[in-house]
Each structure stands twice: as C-alpha cells, then as structure tokens.
Amino acid sequence: MEHEQSRRLEKRRRKRCVILIVIVVLIVIVIIAVVLGLTLRQNKMVLFQHFFICCFCIFRCTTDCQKVWDAFEQAYVNKDPCKVAVEAYDPLIVAAPFKPQCNRMIFWSKTKDVVHGFTEKRDCFVTLEDTLLGSVLDGLTWCGKEGSKGTFTTGCPGWSKCKNNPVLSFWRRISAAFADVACGNVTAMLSGSIDTPFNSTSIFASIEVVRFQASRIKSLNVVMVLQSNCTDSSLNNLRQSLDTGITYSCKDVHESRIQECGAKPEIACGACW
C-alpha cells in the first residue's frame, strides 16, 4: 500500500512539474518576444529543447539530459521531414531505455482517453504515455528541415501525410521498445465501438503484438470497452498473432465501470474487469 502511494505521489509530482514548466515556457515566450523582439517561431524552436531537457533532468536526475536530447534531435535534424526512418530513433532508445514493469504494462488501441483517464487516477497499470519518453512528448509536434540545424514545431507534416515523418516514426519506435520489455501478465484495452477492434494496420497490431514473446509474457488480457464484444471476429487474428505459449483472455467491460474504478481507489485493481 505504501509503495502504491509512493508511486502515486511521484506521478503527481511529475504532472505538477510539467504544468509548471509549461507556465514558465509561456512566460519566457512572451518576455522574449516583447523585450527582444524575436519571433514566436524562433522562440518555440529554442524552448522545445529546453522543455525536453528540463523534463528529463527533473524526472530522472541520473540521466545525462543533454545526451538524451542529442540522441533525440539527431534523428530528424537536417533531414527531409518525410524521410525520417523509424530506426533513426535507435540511439534515443539506447540513451533512455525502457524498464520492464511486469504485470503492470497496458497497451491500447482507439481507447486513449479511457485508458489514460484510468491510469491518471490509479497506479495499477502503466501505458506508453506514462513512461518518461512518452509523457514528455505526448501531443507534441516537431521536425527538421534539410540544410537547417534547428528543430521546428510548425510547418511539420501531419501524422498521416507521409509514413516516415518524425512524430509517427518516433511513436512507432518507442512502441516497439515498450513492447520489447513487456513481461508477466500484459493487458490491452481495445474499443468495441469500431468495426475492427484489432486492426492489422494499427500500431498495437503491427508493431506491439508481434513483439510479444512467450519467454517474457505469460498472458495477454484484453479489455473491450464502450460497445464491447469479445466475440468480434478481428480478435481471432489477435489470438493467431500471439506467440505460442501466451495465454489469451478477453472480457467485456463498460466504460462506466472503468470510470468508477478510477474514481474509487477502494476498488481493487483486479476487480475493475
């Protein structure tokens, strides 16, 4: 119980830290723009780096913050923003590796708001966006340009404009790294409100599931939310995609039940679904 409370307090400290950094960043943008007459775009380029480094220094004091930034930046700087390969982020994974959190790792597809609404309130599970790399860069946009050493936060290609854009390649790479350290009993939250809950083109299906190894993972427990139906035919493909030796189970759970568990810490995590 004390360990869970400690983790919850740490999560709150991180969240407050991010909020404070954002506030400071906004203040600095205004001051620099007014006093020095610099453009907002130039400020964002500099402040994106400061935001990234500050988050790493505060969250993980033992991390070489500048080293992590350099590994991140080299993936896309001075490159065509539609030609950033997934492998370009390999040095970043080496600089800031993921740590296994057996029996606590939860994956998701088309249920981001639901799963994060739960993990923000309860410390039962950890999503990719709850990790250091995921939490720092979730929701942000960045890219480089040929002939420039800068990091840009505007004028970058959208998520689906080109396959090898900096943001999509980043999430594909760290999704693979997160799946590579999955161990014990793994959970996945899928949406039952769409035609194909297990879509072969999703990051969960095409990158994460295929990296699940029976030598590390004992079981995959699927939680179907919203208009749930564990009998959906696409889940047959999920079962067939699993490495031999990984046990599969699925349970239909209404979103209201997940929200209730998030709001009531007295409900044991194992009783949420």
Side-chain angles (χ1 to χ4, degrees):
M1 185 65 176
E2 291 181 357
H3 184 53
E4 181 176 346
Q5 290 177 340
S6 176
R7 287 197 304 239
R8 193 177 298 125
L9 288 173
E10 177 63 21
K11 184 180 290 186
R12 289 174 182 169
R13 283 195 293 267
R14 290 186 178 189
K15 190 172 183 179
R16 287 196 295 266
C17 170
V18 171
I19 293 173
L20 288 173
I21 291 174
V22 171
I23 293 173
V24 171
V25 165
L26 292 174
I27 293 174
V28 172
I29 287 176
V30 174
I31 292 175
I32 294 179
V34 173
V35 178
L36 300 180
L38 299 177
T39 66
L40 182 62
R41 183 175 180 179
Q42 290 173 325
N43 291 334
K44 283 183 177 180
M45 290 167 59
V46 174
L47 291 169
F48 183 90
Q49 176 182 358
H50 291 168
F51 174 82
F52 183 101
I53 292 177
C54 284
C55 282
F56 266 85
C57 286
I58 292 172
F59 292 171
R60 282 173 57 180
C61 297
T62 58
T63 297
D64 187 335
C65 311
Q66 187 63 48
K67 180 180 178 181
V68 175
W69 167 258
D70 291 341
F72 170 70
E73 189 181 42
Q74 64 83 39
Y76 60 85
V77 163
N78 196 25
K79 294 181 181 179
D80 183 325
C82 279
K83 295 182 179 178
V84 177
V86 173
E87 295 76 18
Y89 288 101
D90 285 353
L92 175 63
I93 301 302
V94 174
F98 288 99
K99 295 181 179 180
Q101 299 194 57
C102 297
N103 305 317
R104 299 186 65 237
M105 299 175 73
I106 184 168
F107 296 78
W108 59 269
S109 183
K110 301 297 183 182
T111 55
K112 184 175 182 179
D113 290 342
V114 179
V115 71
H116 288 161
F118 179 76
T119 60
E120 284 177 4
K121 298 179 179 69
R122 301 293 301 274
D123 200 41
C124 312
F125 298 98
V126 176
T127 68
L128 175 58
E129 293 76 20
D130 293 321
T131 65
L132 186 54
L133 277 176
S135 63
V136 170
L137 292 165
D138 187 26
L140 300 184
T141 298
W142 64 89
C143 66
K145 293 184 179 179
E146 290 183 303
S148 172
K149 295 182 180 180
T151 291
F152 299 86
T153 57
T154 59
C156 300
W159 180 271
S160 59
K161 182 177 181 180
C162 50
K163 182 179 180 180
N164 290 325
N165 70 72
V167 177
L168 179 55
S169 289
F170 166 80
W171 285 106
R172 289 171 62 87
R173 183 62 188 91
I174 69 167
S175 292
F178 190 61
D180 282 341
V181 298
C183 52
N185 299 313
V186 173
T187 304
M189 190 174 289
L190 307 182
S191 173
S193 66
I194 58 178
D195 293 337
T196 311
F198 183 69
N199 191 318
S200 61
T201 63
S202 68
I203 287 181
F204 175 62
S206 64
I207 294 177
E208 295 171 335
V209 170
V210 297
R211 303 179 86 93
F212 291 171
Q213 299 294 322
S215 58
R216 294 179 286 102
I217 298 175
K218 297 196 310 187
S219 68
L220 173 65
N221 309 307
V222 175
V223 178
M224 290 283 285
V225 296
L226 307 179
Q227 299 172 9
S228 307
N229 187 357
C230 281
T231 62
D232 187 274
S233 59
S234 70
L235 296 182
N236 292 327
N237 297 327
L238 172 54
R239 288 195 293 268
Q240 294 171 4
S241 299
L242 292 176
D243 192 23
T244 302
I246 297 178
T247 303
Y248 169 88
S249 67
C250 181
K251 181 174 290 187
D252 294 331
V253 181
H254 290 291
E255 183 178 353
S256 59
R257 175 58 178 172
I258 297 174
Q259 293 174 340
E260 181 185 20
C261 281
K264 297 180 178 179
E266 64 271 18
I267 300 177
C269 291
C272 290
W273 47 73

